[in-house]
Amino acid sequence: MIGDLVVKEFIKVKENCTYWEDAIKVGAALLEEKDVVEKRYKEAIINNFKELGPYMVIAPGIVLSHARPESGVNETGISLVTLKNPINFGSEQNDPVKLIVTLAAKDNTSHLDLLSNLMEIFMNNEDLNKIFEADSEEEILEVLKKYKKN
């Protein structure tokens, strides 16, 4: 499923960000440019971090940034951003972060298969390292091809 949703326009590699807010904005902007989300979606994600802490840092080196569907989601979508230099999001266990996955879900249930698919990738160390180390969007797309619906 993730292999079906993520296209080259939803990927950035080796992005140069200094602060966690910048990284969130880059991931959300990729979805915003294609009208998957409204501009207010990235502000909702940032506000969630400020209010609730770094719970979105879900695994070592990985942020799954998201907000509620009513915060400006037009359709389900996902973007991936790798960072040139890992940055801290405030998670004792999982900082520094190398990969920002921004998830936009149009409702409270349709994205559950997508989350399951993401977890498959995150638990496959070989594929995850290929994503972390990718020098191009094409290299990430090549990894994601394995996760397309059959």
Side-chain angles (χ1 to χ4, degrees):
M1 185 167 184
I2 190 168
D4 299 308
L5 273 179
V6 179
V7 293
K8 187 176 178 181
E9 293 80 20
F10 293 150
I11 301 172
K12 277 204 173 198
V13 296
K14 307 272 187 200
E15 191 67 18
N16 199 3
C17 296
T18 306
Y19 303 104
W20 66 265
E21 292 99 330
D22 299 332
I24 295 295
K25 289 176 183 177
V26 170
L30 293 172
L31 298 174
E32 192 181 315
E33 288 167 13
K34 298 293 181 186
D35 293 320
V36 174
V37 298
E38 297 170 14
K39 193 173 187 174
R40 63 190 174 109
Y41 191 67
K42 72 177 152 239
E43 296 308 318
I45 295 170
I46 290 169
N47 288 336
N48 283 347
F49 262 102
K50 289 178 179 176
E51 289 175 25
L52 305 171
Y55 78 98
M56 291 185 229
V57 186
I58 59 165
I62 303 170
V63 165
L64 179 60
S65 71
H66 60 282
R68 304 234 1 110
E70 60 270 17
S71 297
V73 177
N74 296 325
E75 60 185 89
T76 298
I78 191 165
S79 69
L80 290 112
V81 176
T82 62
L83 298 175
K84 182 177 181 181
N85 300 304
I87 56 177
N88 289 329
F89 274 69
S91 171
E92 281 184 39
Q93 292 128 333
N94 296 321
D95 273 344
V97 168
K98 298 178 193 178
L99 174 64
I100 294 85
V101 178
T102 304
L103 174 65
K106 67 180 177 182
D107 59 44
N108 290 325
T109 57
S110 64
H111 66 289
L112 297 178
D113 286 340
L114 181 58
L115 283 175
S116 173
N117 202 213
L118 269 175
M119 291 308 127
E120 284 181 61
I121 296 169
F122 296 161
M123 293 187 322
N124 183 323
N125 285 334
E126 184 180 336
D127 286 344
L128 186 57
N129 283 327
K130 284 180 185 175
I131 291 171
F132 282 156
E133 303 303 322
D135 290 317
S136 70
E137 291 83 3
E138 290 81 11
E139 288 178 45
I140 292 177
L141 287 171
E142 195 60 37
V143 172
L144 299 181
K145 275 185 191 176
K146 293 184 354 185
Y147 299 90
K148 281 188 178 236
K149 279 186 186 176
N150 291 333

